[in-house]
């Protein structure tokens, strides 16, 4: 596998056509080696336009979604970030390269340790990894400037929005299959939250995610 050519093709054929034009983000995709975060048996799929497997039944977000959310969140060097769903640690690494510090929580201890090894080998130090259920947020480290939810939510719990600082942004994919919408929620200085819809997509739901009230007859 020519990893350099595969990475170039990913950026030019997947990422740019998906309206990701921020040079900081694009440069980061060349600097942080995605293939080094994917387990060996799935590494050849690291740059394919799909959710990449990292464990039986567990995948990453597609590369173009990872890049787009980074662009839309406008992460700054002083930002404190919460990532819900660490996975293999690749998106964690991208977030960490942009932010002051990332707190990343996964419910699966095996994934926490996979990410820990990957981040250590990539020499990414401004990350705190924790294992636990962050479906309602991670209050012990709150508040945050940015929150990223890497799996879908049937509904967006108020507890996540309450853990945002004024001026904070939250990325989430909300809805039930087959209708899910990726959006960025922003909180202003008065605490008012606005929503900016980005695109339609589908991904697996977050474990223990809050459920909407459903009526039965």
């Amino acid at each position: 596998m020519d990893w350099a050519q595969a990475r170039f093709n990913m950026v030019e054929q997947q990422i740019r056509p998906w309206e990701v034009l921020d040079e900081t983000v694009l440069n980061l995709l060349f600097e942080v080696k995605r293939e080094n975060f994917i387990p060996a048996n799935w590494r050849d799929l690291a740059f394919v336009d799909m959710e990449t497997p990292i464990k039986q039944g567990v995948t990453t977000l597609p590369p173009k979604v990872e890049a787009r959310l980074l662009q839309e969140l406008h992460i700054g060097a002083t930002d404190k970030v919460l990532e819900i769903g660490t996975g293999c640690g690749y998106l964690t690494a991208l977030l960490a390269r942009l932010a002051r510090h990332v707190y990343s929580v996964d419910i699966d201890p095996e994934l926490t340790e996979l990410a820990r090894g990957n981040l250590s080998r990539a020499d990414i130090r401004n990350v705190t990894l924790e294992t636990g259920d962050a479906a309602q947020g991670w209050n012990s480290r709150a508040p945050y400037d940015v929150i990223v939810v890497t799996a879908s939510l049937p509904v967006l719990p108020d507890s996540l929005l309450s853990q945002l600082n004024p001026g904070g942004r939250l990325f989430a994919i909300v809805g039930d299959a087959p209708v899910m919408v990726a959006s960025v929620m922003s909180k202003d200085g008065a605490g008012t939250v606005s929503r900016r819809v980005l695109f339609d997509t589908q991904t697996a739901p977050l474990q223990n995610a809050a459920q909407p009230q459903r009526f039965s007859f």
Side-chain angles (χ1 to χ4, degrees), residues 23 53 65 68 75 94 100 116 168 171 200:
E23 289 299 325
V65 173
R68 183 75 180 275
I75 298 166
L94 296 175
R100 175 173 60 85
R116 194 183 310 282
F171 172 86
D200 295 335

Side-chain angles (χ1 to χ4, degrees), residues 10 31 38 46 54 66 81 92 112 173 187 189 199:
M10 176 190 72
E31 293 165 11
I38 305 300
I54 52 175
E66 295 170 329
V81 178
T92 320
T112 301
I173 298 168
K187 180 187 282 189
F199 50 85

